[in-house]
Amino acid sequence: MAKPISIQVWNPSGKYRVVSTKSMPGDRWIRLLTDQDCRVEICTEEKTILSVDDILTLIGDRCDGLTEDWGEVLFSALKRAGGTSFSNMAVGYNNVDVSAANKYGVAVGNTPGVLTETTAELAAALSLTAARRIVEADQFMRAGLYDGWLPHLFVGNLLKGQTVGVIGAGRIGSAYARMMIEGFKMNLIYYDLYQATRLEKFVTGMLSSPFTSYGQFLQVNGEQPVTWKRAATMEDVLREADVISLHPVLDKTTYHLINKERLGIMKKEAVLVNASRGPVIDEAALVEHLKANPMFRVGLDVFEDEPLMKPGLSEQKNAVVVPHIASASKWTREGMATLAALNVLGTIKGYPVLGDPNSMDKFLDESSPVPAACPSIVCKFQICDAMQDGLVQTADETKHLLDLSSILALPKGGCSLRQFKNLDDIELSALGAILLLTA
Ligand SMILES: NC(=O)c1ccc[n+]([C@@H]2O[C@H](COP(=O)([O-])OP(=O)(O)OC[C@H]3O[C@@H](n4cnc5c(N)ncnc54)[C@H](O)[C@@H]3O)[C@@H](O)[C@H]2O)c1
Ligand SMILES: O=C(O)[C@H](O)CO
């Protein structure tokens, strides 16, 4: 007999049953569900990570939608309970086996856009904290060791005029790059599979008014304009940058992206920041690199074996470590909860997906009615399936369009694939049946 799980219930007589495996910030997300005749059950178990058995118990024999780590066992259980909808309370969904969800006809939601600035700000904070040895200095003061100003005390790295490197210049990577350029007049080098056109325009822009870019603003004011470069290889970023921040998705191409060899390419006094996913760095190799290079510094929000750190990391003074808090601002976390709830609600109600992954404002503005839509539903088509359905023409186009694709609930009879090069070209379809690229 499975151990009972403690839960808090809202709107007990609701027609739909939505289960959240964690309490989430704010209460707007609850009201949005209960207002639409949902019974909401919130798990109030003390432990942070629930076991599969815990979640199977939570699902029970009737459930319409949910949030948590997910694979074959849980999606099949959700399906058996009549469930059709799941949402991550996160923009990253590497913890979700989307193919398993597809197999059981369960839509998978995520929460893009609402975390962008919050996460980028934490990455910028880690960059500064590591570069200027803030944690070491704080511990020195608290230990009562300060006995007067010294020329060499906690000397760190100046950022102004140096080069900031971004690997993964998507929403968060581009927001971080802008902060470091605007805030510290750093020059940019970035590496991504796709061109970051909006970011490049921000730095240099077109001459359409007195100055439409930050570079021109500086020049007009007699300062050295900042420069930018799209690196041909990741190694170019590692070689040239003084501060490097990692913002790619975690997939098979980015697993251990930063390994022993690539750490060896970086400057001996570089700062490396990771607020993406822990496994993007070979953490055991990083520990050895930190031991051998005391002037090399890291700022880490995520870890390869979360919630654990690799042996030796916590002893390294040239490492700043925080527990996956990059999205932890009140506005962002309440917004993530709202978007996750609206993904689940929208799928249950059969709403189309009208969210632009770069702008969720319409769902987050409490002063206006919530659109009858899902903010962001992700789905990885099997390319052959899409081609069989006549949705796409060639494998190459498919690869580009489907790698980072989100798809909307397709109305009966499927839809014709509209080919978009970037989010500027997206015209949101009233039918909601478009294939949406996330930049
Ligand atoms: N630490 C946190 O709390 C936190 C918060 C938010 C997001 N994240 C992580 O950050 C990731 C990025 O979020 P986002 O909203 O910016 O996503 P995004 O999709 O806008 O950007 C990801 C970028 O990575 C690039 N990319 C993919 N594979 C690559 C590769 N092999 N080499 C170089 N670039 C590659 C993509 O082209 C894209 O531009 C999320 O997937 C998530 O894992 C972490
Ligand atoms: O992917 C994300 O959104 C974060 O890791 C959650 O804070």
Side-chain angles (χ1 to χ4, degrees):
M1 177 72 176
K3 179 178 78 61
I5 298 276
S6 62
I7 58 171
Q8 180 189 38
V9 180
W10 297 76
N11 189 25
S13 59
K15 176 182 174 189
Y16 304 104
R17 178 174 173 247
V18 178
V19 175
S20 180
T21 51
K22 289 187 181 65
S23 168
M24 297 194 287
D27 59 12
R28 181 168 183 244
W29 71 273
I30 300 171
R31 284 186 279 109
L32 287 168
L33 290 167
T34 53
D35 290 353
Q36 295 284 331
D37 201 8
C38 292
R39 168 191 168 101
V40 179
E41 295 178 11
I42 302 171
C43 176
T44 52
E45 285 289 305
E46 283 302 312
K47 59 178 160 178
T48 303
I49 299 176
L50 298 178
S51 68
V52 169
D53 286 341
D54 291 336
I55 300 175
L56 290 173
T57 305
L58 270 177
I59 292 174
D61 55 12
R62 191 182 78 78
C63 174
D64 291 291
L66 215 114
T67 72
E68 192 64 349
D69 288 3
W70 281 70
E72 175 72 27
V73 172
L74 292 174
F75 279 126
S76 59
L78 180 59
K79 190 62 186 170
R80 279 196 305 276
T84 58
S85 175
F86 160 91
S87 182
N88 242 11
M89 186 206 170
V91 60
Y93 53 93
N94 52 283
N95 61 311
V96 181
D97 180 347
V98 178
S99 305
N102 288 352
K103 177 177 162 187
Y104 293 103
V106 175
V108 174
N110 73 332
T111 62
V114 70
L115 314 96
T116 299
E117 281 71 26
T118 294
T119 304
E121 287 175 3
L122 194 281
L126 286 173
S127 305
L128 273 166
T129 304
R132 297 303 300 275
R133 306 173 60 189
I134 304 287
V135 172
E136 288 176 86
D138 176 275
Q139 289 166 345
F140 178 85
M141 284 299 289
R142 292 174 196 275
L145 298 174
Y146 181 50
D147 59 2
W149 185 87
L150 284 168
H152 294 286
L153 193 58
F154 295 112
V155 169
N157 305 8
L158 172 72
L159 298 183
K160 183 180 186 298
Q162 305 300 297
T163 299
V164 59
V166 174
I167 294 177
R171 289 176 288 258
I172 297 169
S174 292
Y176 167 82
R178 288 186 55 159
M179 288 174 191
M180 301 308 282
I181 293 166
E182 280 181 296
F184 306 98
K185 299 187 180 65
M186 297 185 82
N187 299 310
L188 169 67
I189 180 169
Y190 80 89
Y191 173 76
D192 197 305
L193 307 176
Y194 305 102
Q195 185 177 5
T197 42
R198 289 183 183 157
L199 175 58
E200 292 177 7
K201 282 180 187 167
F202 163 74
V203 183
T204 51
M206 319 299 280
L207 268 172
S208 60
S209 67
F211 43 81
T212 58
S213 76
Y214 188 61
Q216 284 146 355
F217 168 78
L218 291 174
Q219 210 151 16
V220 161
N221 288 280
E223 297 198 58
Q224 188 65 23
V226 292
T227 62
W228 65 270
K229 179 161 73 171
R230 181 184 181 191
T233 69
M234 187 180 325
E235 284 71 13
D236 291 346
V237 176
L238 302 179
R239 245 178 245 108
E240 292 184 35
D242 302 289
V243 178
I244 295 164
S245 195
L246 307 175
H247 298 284
V249 295
L250 174 62
D251 62 17
K252 57 185 181 306
T253 70
T254 58
Y255 177 78
H256 281 194
L257 196 69
I258 302 298
N259 56 24
K260 178 182 177 184
E261 292 67 34
R262 287 180 168 151
L263 286 165
I265 293 175
M266 294 176 68
K267 293 178 180 178
K268 293 298 178 199
E269 300 191 9
V271 172
L272 175 65
V273 172
N274 189 12
S276 63
R277 285 287 185 267
V280 171
I281 296 179
D282 175 344
E283 198 169 303
L286 175 64
V287 172
E288 293 314 307
H289 192 76
L290 288 166
K291 286 176 183 173
N293 298 277
M295 304 296 278
F296 182 87
R297 298 191 180 101
V298 289
L300 304 176
D301 179 60
V302 288
F303 304 87
E304 186 166 0
D305 302 326
E306 270 183 50
L308 304 177
M309 290 187 275
K310 286 291 188 196
L313 179 58
S314 60
E315 286 81 53
Q316 301 312 307
K317 294 268 182 235
N318 45 349
V320 176
V321 291
V322 292
H324 206 142
I325 57 170
S327 64
S329 72
K330 184 174 184 294
W331 181 82
T332 286
R333 285 292 170 86
E334 291 187 0
M336 291 161 72
T338 297
L339 297 183
L342 290 174
N343 281 329
V344 169
L345 179 66
T347 307
I348 290 170
K349 296 279 190 178
Y351 294 159
V353 176
L354 286 185
D356 165 357
N358 289 301
S359 164
M360 289 284 147
D361 300 347
K362 60 180 79 69
F363 296 101
L364 301 170
D365 175 4
E366 299 201 25
S367 61
S368 52
V370 177
C374 300
S376 176
I377 299 294
V378 298
C379 173
K380 284 201 174 68
F381 259 11
Q382 297 304 328
I383 289 177
C384 54
D385 294 354
M387 296 179 85
Q388 274 163 6
D389 295 351
L391 286 177
V392 288
Q393 308 312 320
T394 68
D396 291 350
E397 281 164 344
T398 310
K399 189 88 187 73
H400 174 69
L401 291 173
L402 290 179
D403 272 4
L404 294 168
S405 63
S406 305
I407 116 166
L408 315 182
L410 302 185
K412 295 256 179 302
C415 72
S416 64
L417 173 68
R418 312 276 304 281
Q419 294 204 1
F420 303 104
K421 292 297 172 230
N422 62 47
L423 289 173
D424 294 330
D425 303 337
I426 295 280
E427 296 140 32
L428 295 178
S429 150
L431 280 181
I434 58 173
L435 186 57
L436 193 62
L437 265 187
T438 51

